[in-house]
Amino acid sequence: MVAGRLESPDIALEGVTVGYGDRVVLSGVTTVLPGGKVSVILGGSGSGKSTLLRNIIGLVPIKGGRIVLGGRDMEHISPEERLDTRRRMGVLFQDGALLGSLRLGENIALPLREHTELTNSLIEEVVRMKLKLVGLADFMDYFPSELSGGMRKRAGLARAMALDPAVLLCDEPTSGLDPITAADMDQLILELRATFEMTIVVVTHDLESLYAIADHVVVLSAGNMLFEGPLDELTACQDPFIRQFLA
């Protein structure tokens, strides 16, 4: 492994309120995203699901409540502990967020060069391993513009995995993909969970992905959390909005 890691930590949200400036996007979110499982944050456009993900990552400060990751209160830890925790979090952004001026291998190597003291030869070896993991071993020297949308998503996932994270956060991993490619992405996420025993959080509005990968589900609507719990309890829920959404 490239770095020490937390052991598949729970992510506890305790009365979390989030927003921008004076605007509150979500309020009173309380749930535990279980360690070693796939949690899906579900909701329509504008429901606040991506905002909540940014708060978990630490890109946006919360307005109230607590986020506790592996026993660490993210608002009350030292800068060193916060940096250490973030190094153990891999993030797949919605568009892959690859740098167009760098080849694929160079994109994957970025976190390794930034956060480790590995030699160039070892970094290249790790990059090849991560690209092989997502089925892109033969595309190391390609630029992002030369790849399909699904390949760029998988490349973004390889970069998210570069530091062997304990937590993987994915923002709309199947958006913009055809059904077959989306199903392949879902299967890849399940394989990563089984192989690395990570805590995985996926933000989506894709019902096919929900049924394929979710262990735990959080449903957001109109600034509130409507549901949190296992997938089988969600499918039995009689809340009118949830019934309409799932239909």
Side-chain angles (χ1 to χ4, degrees):
M1 289 188 180
V2 175
R5 51 178 285 162
L6 302 168
E7 290 297 326
S8 304
D10 288 345
I11 303 173
L13 309 179
E14 302 175 1
V16 171
T17 297
V18 304
Y20 303 96
D22 295 331
R23 177 175 174 241
V24 173
V25 176
L26 283 170
S27 61
V29 177
T30 297
T31 186
V32 175
L33 309 178
K37 304 291 186 181
V38 178
S39 293
V40 170
I41 301 176
L42 188 70
S45 298
S47 63
K49 55 189 186 297
S50 291
T51 300
L52 185 59
L53 193 72
R54 293 187 188 100
N55 286 105
I56 295 172
I57 298 168
L59 296 177
V60 180
I62 60 175
K63 287 182 167 294
R66 297 201 311 159
I67 296 177
V68 181
L69 195 155
R72 291 177 172 179
D73 184 338
M74 298 303 291
E75 291 294 302
H76 297 96
I77 58 178
S78 68
E80 292 78 13
E81 288 178 308
R82 185 172 291 109
L83 180 59
D84 180 64
T85 301
R86 287 179 178 170
R87 284 173 178 160
R88 288 160 169 75
M89 301 171 75
V91 183
L92 171 60
F93 293 99
Q94 188 171 149
D95 60 355
L98 301 172
L99 297 179
S101 61
L102 298 181
R103 298 181 189 275
L104 200 53
E106 295 169 327
N107 268 283
I108 312 307
L110 279 176
L112 295 163
R113 298 193 188 285
E114 181 71 20
H115 297 296
T116 76
E117 297 180 357
L118 296 178
T119 64
N120 288 336
S121 61
L122 281 176
I123 287 176
E124 183 172 335
E125 182 178 343
V126 172
V127 168
R128 291 187 183 281
M129 288 172 55
K130 300 307 178 184
L131 287 174
K132 183 178 180 181
L133 189 68
V134 300
L136 294 175
D138 296 330
F139 294 88
M140 188 168 176
D141 293 325
Y142 282 61
F143 287 99
S145 61
E146 298 174 316
L147 305 177
S148 68
M151 294 168 75
R152 286 194 296 272
K153 293 257 190 182
R154 283 188 281 148
L157 193 54
R159 187 179 59 188
M161 292 294 298
L163 294 175
D164 294 334
V167 176
L168 178 63
L169 305 164
C170 303
D171 190 4
E172 301 279 8
T174 60
S175 68
L177 303 182
D178 65 81
I180 294 175
T181 306
D184 288 343
M185 178 62 74
D186 289 337
Q187 183 59 38
L188 182 54
I189 288 172
L190 291 176
E191 290 172 1
L192 291 176
R193 181 199 61 182
T195 302
F196 298 100
E197 299 182 352
M198 296 180 294
T199 300
I200 301 178
V201 181
V202 176
V203 161
T204 190
H205 60 267
D206 185 338
L207 296 182
E208 293 291 336
S209 287
L210 169 72
Y211 293 124
I213 66 176
D215 298 305
H216 183 85
V217 185
V218 174
V219 180
L220 305 176
S221 177
N224 296 292
M225 183 180 71
L226 290 186
F227 174 90
E228 66 91 23
L231 179 60
D232 58 352
E233 291 184 11
L234 175 71
T235 57
C237 181
Q238 296 304 309
D239 179 271
F241 174 84
I242 290 176
R243 298 313 308 164
Q244 182 181 21
F245 194 95
L246 296 182

